[in-house]
Amino acid sequence: MMELDPTETFRQEASDLLDSLEAALLDLGQTPQDSDLIDAAFRALHTIKGSGAMFGFDRVAAFTHDFETAFDLIRKGKISAEPDIITVSLAAKDYIRALIDDPDSTDPIIGEAIVEELQALIATGATGGTASPTCAALNEASAVTAADGAGWLIEIAFEPDILRNGTNPLVLLDDLRALGSCRVVAYLDAVPELGALDPETCMIAWTVELQGSCSREDIEDVFMFVRDEMKLGIAPLSLAGPVDAKRPTTVESEAVAVVVTATAAPVNELQPALTERATGERSESIRRSEDKTSTVRVQAERLDELMDRVGELVIAQARLSQLAHSGTDLAIKSIAEEIERLASGLRDSTMGVRMVPMGSLFGRFRRLVHDLSRDLGKPVDFVTVGEDTELDKTMIERLADPLVHLIRNAIDHGIEAPEARAGTTKSTTGRIELAARYVGAQVLVTVQDDGAGLDAARIRAKAEEQGLVAAGAPLSEHEIHQFLFHPGFSTARTISALSGRGVGMDVVKRTIEAMRGTIDLATVPGYGSTVTLRLPLTLAIIEGLLIRVGEGRYIIPLSAVEECVELTAADEARSRGRSFLSIRGDLVPFLRLRDLFEAEGEADPHQKVIITTMGDMRIGLVVDQIIGSHQTVIKSLSKLHADVTMFSGATILGDGSAALILDVAQLVSLGQVRAENSPASEAA
């Protein structure tokens, strides 16, 4: 079994902490006085610093310490989290990530400049002037009032499982030493003999005599992240009795771990906790530990491999079911049905493990909007809806780049400058909404802005200029908007770092179509635009409808099927030359798949029409036979078939033969084109 690299574990944990830090900083930009957000940011910094020191990332620990020292003034309410401070703090967060990902190629001069700028901003805010950006000035600004008396007596008793939770008490003792001169006494009464010793269980308690100019709050801050995992007693040294040194062991601690949480308790409440440790009564701690929801970090490659194995199992199960139903052995049929039930449950469970909330993706774009808003001078409110909507992890990964392009376009091209919006009824602050929701077996992701909308005349003029359409040719608004997805097409008047080169929307369309999705574009001039992405829940296994056309068998994704009807002789007579059906008063165009696939032989006398939907469009697909539902394991087509647009993949049937999966979006588009070119008005 492969052992997990400890440094890789740190990188994964640090990545989550940095994401939390970025989210807290961005939220602070909106609500600078939110103490919970300030504590969350400080907690993330403190944990990264301790973890970095433990895993040998000394540059990370040193830089984060300077960052934390500066940010501590915000936490203590001496200055507020102004926009300039948030901007520099975000740059500091990026530098920490660079130090963790690639420390050798990270220039230390950049880190020094970031710290100096942050310290200068904070020192200026703390003093109200232009203080020198030095640590000395910073420390002076954050000096605390000395406590009454000669110092403090601190008694510490941790929960037995605190080491398992990632906390090293020696780090906390070192943090106390940073506040002043300390005499640390360890109590070893509860430590068992060597044979019964558990190295992951904390059985030591401490008493600390602290001499220094610090307040009770400073001491409590040291333990602020271990509140639920310890007993803490603090009393002025002049009022406390002498330390019991019957069995003292002075501890020399080293900074080697991370910090977690603390609850304050009077000194006299600590003795029962020490006695409990001496008798080894840990049942309550164990019970609480069992009640906690645990998670396991799994490599994405292992999930992909598991999904492949499940796919092969589904194919094998389909073959077994077909063999069982072709025979007369009832026992074999019973076993086949049981395996089918188990395979179906395993498939659903595996796909559930792969499902990831959209919030994990949406959170990435807050920083993008923040930076673009600042760079372009366009204040923008970024709103997300439907963060709990889940999508396959592979889909999430592929969706990131298209959404980056769409959000950049919305801010750069859609949202007007504040002075332009000031002359309208709109707020000077633009608005972009990123939303996700379920629609059947699909997920709809929308990017909506309240900008100026699309200028159809300008898009058409640019298309005519590039020779994409003849001047004066009749085009619908939908057809004009489709030019935006043409490679190299751009309406930007000048080339900038964000736009003007015509690279972006064509990539978005290709990526979405490769995910078996579609992209729709709607706009209201003067009021904004909405881009809608329609995506399947997964790219791995889907429920399909198995059909026959001629001698060939095909799969239609069941999520796209609305209903099935029979193509009667009367329908045939009414539809000749027009290819329309009347479905409850609505005209629905249909395609004869026999003609489309050039199938040989005579058509079945009782053909069926499968009514499919894609967005607001419907189309009927005429087939010879509907065989039934089928668990479809999607296999990608080879590069040789890249130009075959009517099929999105293939699958293996129970008898070992292959069946192509129809791309309903492409068929709907084809049907729409044929409908527009047919005399539909006569049929009405």
Side-chain angles (χ1 to χ4, degrees), residues 86-412:
I86 295 299
T87 299
V88 179
S89 296
L90 288 169
K93 189 275 307 180
D94 292 339
Y95 185 73
I96 294 173
R97 190 181 291 277
L99 281 176
I100 293 172
D101 293 341
D102 192 5
D104 295 334
S105 62
T106 306
D107 191 347
I109 297 178
I110 297 176
E112 293 171 5
I114 291 173
V115 171
E116 288 180 1
E117 185 176 0
L118 183 60
Q119 290 175 346
L121 289 170
I122 291 182
T124 300
T127 61
T130 56
S132 174
T134 63
C135 290
L138 205 58
N139 291 335
E140 182 180 349
S142 60
V144 293
T145 304
D148 294 334
W152 299 97
L153 177 65
I154 308 163
E155 296 195 4
I156 305 163
F158 293 104
E159 292 291 338
D161 59 353
I162 192 168
L163 299 177
R164 296 187 182 92
N165 295 339
T167 298
N168 190 327
L170 301 184
V171 174
L172 304 179
L173 296 176
D174 276 346
D175 288 343
L176 286 178
R177 283 193 171 91
L179 299 178
S181 175
C182 289
R183 176 174 176 264
V184 182
V185 177
Y187 293 92
L188 308 179
D189 304 54
V191 177
E193 295 182 358
L194 186 60
L197 182 64
D198 181 359
E200 294 185 350
T201 300
C202 179
M203 304 301 293
I204 304 175
W206 289 270
T207 298
V208 180
E209 291 182 359
L210 173 60
Q211 306 280 348
S213 299
C214 61
S215 65
R216 177 188 294 270
E217 180 185 8
D218 293 328
I219 298 171
E220 291 175 346
D221 285 348
V222 170
F223 302 97
M224 68 180 298
F225 305 133
V226 229
R227 293 187 182 276
D228 296 329
E229 300 176 90
M230 69 175 300
K231 294 286 188 178
L232 175 65
I234 305 173
L237 192 58
S238 59
L239 300 179
V243 175
D244 180 8
K246 291 181 180 179
R247 291 178 298 277
T249 302
T250 303
V251 178
E252 298 296 335
S253 58
E254 297 178 359
V256 291
V258 275
V259 179
V260 191
T261 5
T263 89
V267 178
N268 56 10
E269 290 184 8
L270 288 177
Q271 193 57 42
L274 299 179
T275 304
E276 179 181 328
R277 279 158 179 70
T279 57
E281 294 177 3
R282 297 183 292 158
S283 58
E284 177 65 17
S285 175
I286 293 173
R287 184 184 61 79
R288 286 211 325 259
S289 178
E290 291 175 347
D291 290 343
K292 295 178 181 177
T293 301
S294 59
T295 59
V296 178
R297 190 184 296 272
V298 180
Q299 294 179 348
E301 292 80 4
R302 294 189 177 184
L303 287 180
D304 293 337
E305 183 179 353
L306 176 61
M307 195 72 248
D308 291 340
R309 294 285 186 270
V310 172
E312 297 300 325
L313 176 62
V314 168
I315 293 173
Q317 172 266 316
R319 297 184 64 182
L320 175 61
S321 296
Q322 184 167 334
L323 289 173
H325 286 88
S326 63
T328 58
D329 192 325
L330 296 179
I332 296 296
K333 289 184 178 181
S334 176
I335 293 173
E337 291 175 356
E338 180 67 12
I339 292 178
E340 181 178 2
R341 182 185 66 81
L342 294 173
S344 177
L346 180 60
R347 179 205 62 181
D348 294 341
S349 298
T350 305
M351 291 178 63
V353 170
R354 290 169 56 96
M355 302 302 279
V356 179
M358 294 293 288
S360 63
L361 176 64
F362 287 1
R364 305 181 194 178
F365 305 120
R366 298 184 60 203
R367 177 70 181 279
L368 173 68
V369 173
H370 174 274
D371 292 347
L372 288 177
S373 174
R374 179 197 62 209
D375 295 342
L376 297 174
K378 298 178 179 179
V380 176
D381 284 336
F382 182 57
V383 180
T384 58
V385 178
E387 294 93 336
D388 294 336
T389 305
E390 293 185 334
L391 196 62
D392 188 282
K393 74 168 191 65
T394 304
M395 306 285 285
I396 291 281
E397 293 165 359
R398 296 189 186 184
L399 192 57
D401 287 343
L403 287 179
V404 167
H405 285 297
L406 294 177
I407 293 172
R408 285 163 63 103
N409 280 349
I411 298 177
D412 190 23

